[in-house]
Amino acid sequence: DFDWTKNERSSFYYGTFPTGFSWGAGTSAYQTEGAWNIDGKGISIWDVFAHKKGKIFSNDTGDSSCEGYYKFKMDIVINALSGEHINEKGIKYYDELINMLLENKITPVVTLYHWDLPQVLQEKYGGWQNVSMVNYFNDFANLCFERFGNRVKYWITFNNPWSIAVEGFETGEHAPGLKLKGTGAYKAAHHIIKAHAKVWHTYDVQWRSKQKGLVGISLTADWGEPVDITNQRDIEAAERYIQFYLGWFATPIFNGDYPQVMKDYIGRKSGQQGLGASRLPVFSSQEKSYIKGTCDFLGLGHFTTRYVTQKNYPSGLGDSYFTDRDLAELVDPQWPDPGSEWLYSVPWGFRRLLNFVKTQYGNPMIYVTENGVSEKMLCTDLCDNWRMQYFKDYINEMLKAIKDGVNVKGYTAWSLLDNFEWDEGFSERFGLYYVDFRNKNKPRYPKASVQFYKRIISSNGFPNQREVESWKRKSVETCSSSNQLLAADPLIGHMEMVTEIVVPTVCTLCILLSAVFLMFLLRGRL
Ligand SMILES: CCCCCCCCCCCCC/C=C/[C@@H](O)[C@@H](N)CO[C@@H]1O[C@H](CO)[C@H](O)[C@H](O)[C@H]1O
C-alpha cells in the first residue's frame, strides 16, 4: 500500500535515465491546427463553443491558432529534439504528418480524442451523455487503426477524461459547456471508460497481431498531500482527492470498478438527497471484467499539487462532484505560480504521484504525456528561467521515482508550441516555442527552455552538477538574440503588410489610372 506518512523531499539527484528512455513534446489538434472549416473538416463542439461570445478569454477562438494544418512540416523540423463520410483530405493531412515524423525519426504517439467531438454527435445524441458514443468512437478508432496503424504503434484513446467530464459537463467551462451538477460528469466518465475499453478490445482482437502496437489512456491528475501528515482525517481526505481524480478512471481500468471511496461517498450523499440510486453509475459484473486490464500503458499528465484537508459538505446544498468529495484544497503561498492560476510549481508532488500509481495499479508501464508550465500572455520574454527551473525539477523528481522502482518509460513536455489554451484562449502560453499570434504567419521563436530541454534529452538526464549548471547559462545566451528578433516582429509584420497589401493595391490602382488616362488620350486623338 502507498505510505502516506513517508514524505521524503531529497535534494537534486544527479544521474541519467535508463537507456532507451523516450523524450518528446506534445501538441493537440484543436489547440494548434487552425483551418477550422477548411478542406471539408466537420464542425466540432470546440468550434461551436469558442464561437459563442463570452465563453473564452477575450473571445479568442482556435479558428486559425498556430496554423499547424499548414505549417506542420516546419513544426516537425523544429521538433527534432533528438463515420459514414470519411474526409480523405483529413486522412491525407495525418498521413503526411505521420510520414514526416517517421522520416525525422520521431515516434508518433497518437491521441484519438483530445476533446473535439463532432458537433453533430453533440446535437443529435447529447455527446458523452449518451452511451451511443461508445460505438461511434469505436468506429472512428477502427478507421484510424486501419489507415494509420501500419505506422503508428502507440495509441492513446482519451486525453484527460477528468477535464472532459468535469469541465465539459459539471462546471461548463469547456465545450459543450453544460452544467449538469452532480450527475453530468459521472455519466460522461462512465461512457468514456466504456468507450476506451471497447477500443482497446477492438485493437486487441482485430489489429494487434498484425500491427503490434499498444493502446493506453492518458489520465491527468494533481497530487494531493495531507495538510497534516499526522492527522488520519487529512490523510483520508488527500486519498479521496486522488481517488476522485485519477482513481475515478484508473481503478476501473486496472482493477475493474470505481474506487470504493467514490461509491461510498456518492452513494451516501445520493441517499441523503432522497434519490433511489447513486448518482455514480454502476458497471455490471460483465462490464467490470470487460473493462479490467484494458491498458497496455498508462499515459500520465501532471502539472501541480494541492494540500488537502477534510471538509464536510452537507448534502442538499447544491450537490456536485466537488462537494461529493468532502474536502478542501489549499496551496502554499510560497509555491511559484508564473502563469495559469491553478498551476503551482511543486516538483516533489510528481514523485509522490508516480509512486502512488506504482502501488495502486500494479506498477504499470507509464508514459508521461503532459507536464509543463505556462506564463501570462503579456510576457514576451523568451528567456524563461522559471520554465527551465520547472522542467529541471519535475524531470528530476521523475528520475527519483524511477530509482524508487516506478516503471516510467518516456516523458513528453507540454507543449511544443504556445497554443489555444481552451477557455483561456491565447492568454496562457505553455510552449517551448513562442508563437507570435499577432502576425498572420504565426512565426515561432525558440524560448530558452527548449535549448535547456534539448540538453536534458541529449544527456538523457543530469550527468553532473557542473554540466547542468552550465546549461542554463548557455540556454539564456541564445534566447537574447531571439528576443531581439521577436521585438522586431511588429516592424516586420508592418513591412509584410506593405509588401503584401499596400504595394499590390497601389500597383492595381496605377494600372487602372493608366488605362483610364490612355482611353482619354485615344478618344482625343479620334
Ligand atoms: C466546493 C466547490 C469548489 C468548486 C471549485 C470549482 C473550480 C474547479 C475548476 C477546476 C479547474 C481545474 C483546472 C486544471 C486543469 C488541468 O488539469 C488541465 N488543464 C490539464 O489538461 C491539459 O492542460 C494543458 C495545459 O493546461 C493543455 O491545455 C492540455 O490540452 C490539457 O490536456
Side-chain angles (χ1 to χ4, degrees), residues 272-317:
Q272 287 165 356
Q273 275 180 274
L275 300 174
S278 175
R279 285 181 277 106
L280 183 70
V282 175
F283 291 119
S284 69
S285 44
Q286 243 178 345
E287 286 168 343
K288 285 180 199 167
S289 41
Y290 184 74
I291 292 165
K292 185 176 173 176
T294 55
C295 210
D296 303 323
F297 66 91
L298 175 65
L300 192 66
H302 174 70
F303 293 87
T304 194
T305 283
R306 294 284 182 271
Y307 278 118
V308 182
T309 189
Q310 156 80 26
K311 179 176 177 179
N312 284 335
Y313 285 94
S315 191
L317 300 173

Side-chain angles (χ1 to χ4, degrees), residues 28 31 114-115 159-160 162-163 166-167 171 173-174 220-222 245 303-304 306 311 313 320 322-323 325 327 329 340 342-343 370 372 374 414-415 419-422 428 430:
S28 92
Q31 289 180 280
H114 200 130
W115 308 358
N159 170 68
N160 192 355
W162 184 91
S163 274
V166 173
E167 298 186 270
T171 66
E173 285 167 340
H174 282 188
T220 300
D222 297 350
Y245 217 137
F303 293 87
T304 194
R306 294 284 182 271
K311 179 176 177 179
Y313 285 94
S320 75
F322 293 100
T323 56
R325 306 175 303 172
L327 57 85
E329 300 175 31
S340 314
W342 53 272
L343 206 173
E370 289 187 351
S374 52
W414 184 267
S415 166
N419 58 40
F420 179 82
E421 177 52 18
W422 307 113
E428 293 174 10
F430 277 84

Side-chain angles (χ1 to χ4, degrees), residues 48-84:
V48 172
F49 188 68
H51 287 167
K52 287 184 185 153
K53 293 275 168 274
K55 296 289 182 194
I56 310 291
F57 181 87
S58 225
N59 290 321
D60 287 338
T61 72
D63 289 1
S64 60
S65 194
C66 309
E67 302 281 20
Y69 188 71
Y70 304 105
K71 296 173 90 86
F72 73 91
K73 292 185 180 154
M74 171 190 150
D75 288 336
I76 289 168
V77 172
I78 66 172
N79 188 26
L81 295 165
S82 247
E84 282 165 48

Side-chain angles (χ1 to χ4, degrees), residues 99-136:
N99 291 343
M100 197 162 174
L101 286 168
L102 292 169
E103 279 159 26
N104 282 273
K105 305 206 174 344
I106 298 171
T107 307
V109 179
V110 174
T111 300
L112 293 166
Y113 188 82
H114 200 130
W115 308 358
D116 44 354
L117 186 79
Q119 174 68 12
V120 64
L121 296 178
Q122 188 63 42
E123 282 170 13
K124 244 178 150 177
Y125 304 102
W128 292 108
Q129 290 300 293
N130 192 309
V131 72
S132 63
M133 287 309 102
V134 175
N135 285 336
Y136 285 117

Side-chain angles (χ1 to χ4, degrees), residues 38 80 141 168 232 241 272 404 421 447 469:
I38 301 293
Q232 188 57 26
Y241 181 78
Q272 287 165 356
D404 297 336
E421 177 52 18
K447 300 181 190 175
E469 275 168 11

Side-chain angles (χ1 to χ4, degrees), residues 18 113 124 132 171 186 193-194 202 226 236 269 284 306 310 318 347 361-363 387 400 432 439 451 501:
Y113 188 82
K124 244 178 150 177
S132 63
T171 66
Y186 298 134
I193 294 165
K194 285 186 180 184
T202 297
E236 283 167 17
K269 289 186 179 241
S284 69
R306 294 284 182 271
Q310 156 80 26
Y361 311 117
N363 204 10
R387 186 174 284 105
K400 289 179 194 170
L432 290 162
N439 182 322
Q451 313 292 356
I501 302 172

